[in-house]
Amino acid sequence: MFAVAPVTAGLQTPEGAPIPLRGVDFDVTIRDIGAQVTVSQHFQNVESQPIEAVYSFPLPEGAAICGFEVRLGERVITGRVEEKETAFVQYDEALKEGQGAYLIDQDRPNIFTISVGNLLPQQSVVIRIRYVQELETHATGGRLVIPTTISPRYVPLEQLQTAPASELMHINPPTVLGPLPYGMRLRVEVVTSSPLVSVESPSHPIRCTLADGRAQVELVGDQVQLDQDFVLNYTVQKPHAPQVRIARDIGSDGFVAMVSFWPEFQVSSRSPQEYIFVLDRSASMTGESIQQAKTALLLCLKSMQPGDQFNIYGFGSTYEKLFPRSQPYTPENLTTATSHVQRLDADLGGTKIYSVLQDALAHAGSLPSSQVIVLTDGQIGNEAQVIELAQRYRGRVRVFPFGIGRGPNEYFIRALARVTDGAAEFIFPGERIEPKVMQQFARMGMPYAEQQVRLDWGGLPVNLVTPRVLPPLFSGQRWTVYGRLDALKPAQIRLEAVIAGQTYTWELPVDPNQLDDTPIVTLLFARSAIRDWEEHPQEWTGSQQRERKAESRARQEALVELGCRYQLLSSQTSFVAIEQRPDGDKTVEIKLRRVPVALTRGWGGTPTVSSAELSTSCYGIDFRFCDDDDIDFRHRTYPAARTTLVSGDSDNTAFTKLIAAQDFEGFWPLSSELMRLLGWDKAKKAKRAIAALKNAGIAKEIAEKIVATLLALDALQQRFGHRQVEWQLLAQKAECWLQQLALTPPGAGSQPADLVTRWRQWYERL
């Protein structure tokens, strides 16, 4: 079910009235551990009769919505969290009494609906919503995403027949292809412990100002449309450090701890893997999204190793697969798969993901380590059903989804990974795909079935830990857990893990005198606890109806208790505010006005150019090129994508070409292009090495492959060491090839035993 209005409807509601939403502002402050965001929605009734404005909008799926204010001129009404049904009753009763009423409700963890009830003629109101969120981070920086519109979602027939009409309306609000009379303004302040290196946006033109170690970011242009996610990437000088942050709890004398480790561990080799690729070929993927997904899939195929097995599914209203069952990764099967992917298009209709995922999960398991890689925009309405399906396979198959496009369904994509111990990546148009794919393959190569993870709180009295199921460990990536403490004292929190038979230990000290005075830690803890109840309900069989009902009641009570105690929105709680009007008119008719949303730019192959913006390319500034006194330079707007001000362009190109040059078997062939990438200064040494190998009786063809591979491995380590997570699997593939040659370097003894190390040392001595 899709609801896309014609372009001419852009200035009116579906009821044929003026749109009451006048604009949306975002004020964001990024701290090391997360972001604090205030969303201001400006409504005005320009009609001659009272109206009820209903606006459905997205927020990040991990947002802890903790504030709701109604501003009527100088007057401020603060909303409160109530149990959902109680909030609805209060809202409806207020309207019957002629009062003003304001309600915000959660339809999905990333879709919310604001109801502005009984807005009087010519009356204006500003709704302010506050939330905090944990940022997506990597070793050298972080990523902020602010969704701005709700893409049309495919709703299966059975859901259409049974779901409440209001729910269907909210997850598929009226949608307009074309400009709307309301736009967005956005301001971001970036404050980090380590000095900033660069800030860039692949989604919008931005203006950056650097002062006192802080970056101020603003959108460029007036009336910027809310038709694609806003994405901001930032880089810092020093890697993120593991830490414990302690804050006071709400509603008790206790405390809340946020524990973040950055585990590093080495896995010398990986066992053969099974990869089942599931490609979304529904109509919403038409255009740039299907091209991105195909590029990512082709790179995935390139990243596998001999001994692996794979299969490729494509789905829409129906689904098809390349092979009846997973096949070995051979040159012949790779050629077949590559040709197959290049011919694919978004031509299979609606997004019926349940049946294809059911088949893929059921057929996974031909090898002990199996993963399903889903490439999709995730635009479905039956998320809960699909997530529950995936959760049944936890411990047997992991799901690693890629979110594709300008407005993917973040909640569904992250939850699909979360409930199977996988991980999600998002690829915005214009972003480099290679690091996303390499990071996913690095995660998939980490031993999973053998992982045993334990967190020791060092004697601290912990009464609640969230997530309830400890997440898996991925080397070089943040691992975060929250705990609610009855009391606080000095302690050592220890993370212990057994990975591939080896035991690792990491420790963090707790200092009771170092308390975080912001609400971020406590609110993120409560949001994580709410997610536990929403995503991990107890599974029951059909014969356990009484127990199932009891669990459902316990789940609802827990969500209400958490939501009310911490004043957070959830699936069972809502924010409500009442405007008392002594002269309220109980007899007047209130007209419903549904606010339409912009169709996601590029959705289904629609045009991607907006008159409100200069370009959809990447805009940014690299602070390493800024002089402290160069104020004008720092205030410039950069209208060209990836200019010299954004560092690493030549390195990015060289890196992409270098990994693309690797052969299926794992070696690098010697070529003039490879030498150009690696530097002609290495040519003389390469010639000497090849001659030495030929003199030792090694065929010229093999000698050239060995030397080129050693050169490539050295370049990856020396030039691209900071991107090891992206290339380490390709390096392992090359090292396996060298091992399988079973050749010894000329003049080398038996030490060290590792053949690859002996080859590296031989080359260094030349």
Side-chain angles (χ1 to χ4, degrees):
M1 182 186 88
F2 299 127
V4 181
V7 176
T8 54
L11 300 178
Q12 294 181 326
T13 69
E15 297 79 25
I19 294 175
L21 182 61
R22 314 310 296 169
V24 181
D25 294 349
F26 297 89
D27 284 287
V28 185
T29 300
I30 292 177
R31 305 289 178 182
D32 288 320
I33 61 172
Q36 296 174 286
V37 185
T38 299
V39 184
S40 299
Q41 300 170 347
H42 301 255
F43 291 89
Q44 183 180 20
N45 180 9
V46 298
E47 301 183 51
S48 59
Q49 58 192 342
I51 65 171
E52 180 186 25
V54 177
Y55 173 46
S56 294
F57 59 95
L59 290 177
E61 66 99 19
I65 302 175
C66 54
F68 180 52
E69 288 182 351
V70 180
R71 292 182 172 260
L72 300 148
E74 297 299 320
R75 186 181 176 194
V76 178
I77 303 171
T78 301
R80 281 195 57 79
V81 166
E82 302 282 357
E83 189 272 331
K84 182 188 287 267
E85 292 304 318
T86 301
F88 272 74
V89 168
Q90 292 179 5
Y91 177 85
D92 290 338
E93 289 296 326
L95 294 187
K96 291 177 183 177
E97 294 298 319
Q99 312 300 324
Y102 309 89
L103 179 78
I104 179 171
D105 187 47
Q106 174 181 310
D107 302 291
R108 295 288 190 274
N110 62 336
I111 295 182
F112 304 86
T113 296
I114 179 76
S115 298
V116 180
N118 201 7
L119 192 62
L120 300 177
Q122 307 310 310
Q123 185 181 19
S124 296
V125 63
V126 177
I127 306 295
R128 287 194 175 175
I129 301 164
R130 293 191 305 276
Y131 68 85
V132 300
Q133 69 176 110
E134 187 177 331
L135 293 177
E136 176 184 336
T137 57
H138 50 81
T140 58
R143 178 182 178 92
L144 169 74
V145 178
I146 295 181
T148 65
T149 191
I150 301 171
S151 299
R153 298 191 173 197
Y154 178 82
V155 180
L157 179 59
E158 58 271 20
Q159 188 178 2
L160 282 174
Q161 295 171 338
T162 58
S166 59
E167 176 190 344
L168 297 176
M169 181 183 72
H170 294 163
I171 66 172
N172 262 327
T175 307
V176 171
L177 172 58
L180 285 161
Y182 62 87
M184 66 179 286
R185 291 187 298 175
L186 181 142
R187 293 165 294 277
V188 182
E189 181 182 48
V190 186
V191 184
T192 55
S193 300
S194 175
L196 283 165
V197 173
S198 64
V199 175
E200 63 177 17
S201 172
S203 61
H204 292 75
I206 58 174
R207 180 181 294 109
C208 302
T209 305
L210 181 64
D212 301 323
R214 302 184 177 193
Q216 303 284 346
V217 178
E218 293 182 340
L219 292 179
V220 174
D222 298 323
Q223 201 71 0
V224 177
Q225 291 288 292
L226 289 94
D227 59 359
Q228 62 175 338
D229 291 354
F230 171 78
V231 180
L232 189 75
N233 298 315
Y234 63 92
T235 306
V236 294
Q237 281 187 9
K238 297 180 181 178
H240 289 292
Q243 60 182 320
V244 177
R245 287 183 179 255
I246 307 289
R248 295 192 181 278
D249 191 19
I250 295 174
S252 77
D253 296 328
F255 302 86
V256 171
M258 178 185 187
V259 182
S260 293
F261 288 93
W262 288 84
E264 297 278 355
F265 51 89
Q266 293 292 327
V267 179
S268 57
S269 62
R270 69 167 179 83
S271 59
Q273 310 273 316
E274 179 186 28
Y275 301 102
I276 298 181
F277 302 99
V278 178
L279 175 64
D280 187 347
R281 294 173 54 191
S282 64
S284 65
M285 293 283 289
T286 302
E288 61 184 5
S289 291
I290 191 66
Q291 294 305 318
Q292 274 194 301
K294 287 169 60 176
T295 300
L297 178 49
L298 289 170
L299 188 56
C300 286
L301 293 174
K302 173 78 174 178
S303 302
M304 290 188 289
Q305 298 185 15
D308 293 338
Q309 296 185 13
F310 74 103
N311 203 354
I312 300 173
Y313 286 72
F315 76 95
S317 298
T318 59
Y319 68 89
E320 56 189 37
K321 46 189 172 182
L322 178 59
F323 305 117
R325 60 186 61 84
S326 294
Q327 296 296 305
Y329 183 61
T330 64
E332 297 77 18
N333 286 336
L334 176 60
T335 300
T336 299
T338 300
S339 300
H340 171 73
V341 172
Q342 290 171 339
R343 294 192 301 268
L344 298 180
D345 205 350
D347 53 6
L348 291 183
T351 317
K352 287 188 176 181
I353 194 172
Y354 186 92
S355 54
V356 64
L357 191 60
Q358 185 178 44
D359 190 88
L361 290 168
H363 283 85
S366 59
L367 292 174
S369 182
S370 299
Q371 23 264 329
V372 172
I373 298 93
V374 181
L375 302 102
T376 181
D377 57 15
Q379 302 304 346
I380 62 172
N382 60 331
E383 297 102 322
Q385 181 188 24
V386 180
I387 291 167
E388 183 182 3
L389 166 68
Q391 194 171 21
R392 294 180 211 149
Y393 288 84
R394 188 173 202 157
R396 289 180 284 169
V397 183
R398 290 186 295 172
V399 180
F400 289 84
F402 287 93
I404 306 292
R406 299 176 184 272
N409 184 350
E410 184 204 10
Y411 160 62
F412 169 66
I413 291 164
R414 289 197 186 279
L416 200 60
R418 213 162 31 229
V419 301
T420 60
D421 289 333
E425 284 286 350
F426 292 83
I427 303 173
F428 194 91
E431 286 191 303
R432 290 188 301 113
I433 294 176
E434 297 86 2
K436 311 278 187 176
V437 172
M438 293 298 101
Q439 286 175 20
Q440 284 289 58
F441 266 77
R443 293 172 182 134
M444 288 184 273
M446 299 293 173
Y448 167 65
E450 307 167 33
Q451 272 198 22
Q452 301 173 28
V453 181
R454 177 176 174 268
L455 187 64
D456 183 345
W457 288 88
L460 290 172
V462 183
N463 61 59
L464 179 61
V465 175
T466 177
R468 280 188 285 178
V469 179
L470 294 181
L473 294 180
F474 297 112
S475 182
Q477 298 181 51
R478 187 175 68 181
W479 186 91
T480 300
V481 167
Y482 300 88
R484 189 164 63 189
L485 315 175
D486 293 324
L488 194 57
K489 63 179 181 179
Q492 288 285 125
I493 298 179
R494 175 180 297 183
L495 176 64
E496 298 177 347
V498 178
I499 302 169
Q502 185 172 348
T503 301
Y504 296 86
T505 302
W506 302 272
E507 290 187 343
L508 286 173
V510 175
D511 184 352
N513 298 315
Q514 296 293 323
L515 293 183
D516 192 322
D517 58 0
T518 72
I520 296 179
V521 169
T522 304
L523 295 174
L524 290 178
F525 155 78
R527 181 66 187 89
S528 180
I530 286 172
R531 176 188 287 153
D532 273 340
W533 282 102
E534 290 181 335
E535 286 188 1
H536 300 284
Q538 179 69 47
E539 295 182 13
W540 302 105
T541 63
S543 62
Q544 297 173 309
Q545 290 301 316
R546 181 178 300 176
E547 291 87 347
R548 188 170 186 175
K549 289 180 181 179
E551 168 67 18
S552 179
R553 285 194 301 271
R555 173 177 175 269
Q556 182 173 343
E557 290 171 0
L559 288 170
V560 171
E561 191 276 331
L562 285 165
C564 291
R565 173 174 174 173
Y566 293 96
Q567 286 295 289
L568 292 182
L569 210 59
S570 74
S571 59
Q572 298 299 321
T573 54
S574 302
F575 267 109
V576 63
I578 306 299
E579 176 195 353
Q580 298 295 335
R581 297 173 181 169
D583 56 349
D585 188 346
K586 302 179 183 180
T587 63
V588 70
E589 182 182 5
I590 303 173
K591 296 292 186 180
L592 174 66
R593 300 293 181 247
R594 291 175 295 165
V595 177
V597 301
L599 182 65
T600 305
R601 191 184 304 183
W603 184 90
T606 54
T608 59
V609 177
S610 168
S611 60
E613 297 184 17
L614 301 175
S615 169
T616 61
S617 299
C618 182
Y619 295 75
I621 177 169
D622 190 322
F623 300 130
R624 286 177 296 191
F625 292 89
C626 291
D627 294 329
D628 290 341
D629 297 325
D630 195 359
I631 303 300
D632 291 337
F633 185 85
R634 291 199 297 269
H635 280 266
R636 282 183 57 192
T637 299
Y638 301 97
R642 297 275 181 189
T643 67
T644 56
L645 298 170
V646 180
S647 65
D649 289 349
S650 59
D651 274 2
N652 289 337
T653 301
F655 180 76
T656 300
K657 290 183 177 180
L658 181 59
I659 63 175
Q662 187 180 29
D663 187 81
F664 166 86
E665 294 182 33
F667 64 83
W668 270 266
L670 189 66
S671 66
S672 58
E673 173 66 12
L674 181 69
M675 294 309 302
R676 188 187 69 81
L677 289 173
L678 301 180
W680 287 106
D681 57 312
K682 299 180 175 61
K684 289 184 179 180
K685 185 174 181 180
K687 288 182 179 179
R688 290 201 309 272
I690 293 171
L693 294 180
K694 289 170 61 179
N695 291 336
I698 297 176
K700 178 184 178 183
E701 179 183 0
I702 298 298
E704 289 180 347
K705 291 177 181 178
I706 292 174
V707 172
T709 300
L710 292 173
L711 278 169
L713 289 173
D714 182 67
L716 289 175
Q717 185 66 56
Q718 299 301 321
R719 185 174 177 183
F720 303 108
H722 61 292
R723 298 172 65 171
Q724 184 174 356
V725 69
E726 301 175 38
W727 54 256
Q728 59 186 1
L729 291 181
L730 301 183
Q732 287 180 11
K733 190 174 181 177
E735 291 169 359
C736 286
W737 176 80
L738 281 171
Q739 293 277 12
Q740 291 168 359
L741 284 179
L743 295 175
T744 303
S750 59
Q751 297 295 327
D754 176 34
L755 192 57
V756 175
T757 302
R758 290 161 68 186
W759 273 110
R760 287 179 184 271
Q761 293 178 350
W762 168 81
Y763 186 77
E764 290 172 1
R765 289 194 299 268
L766 284 176

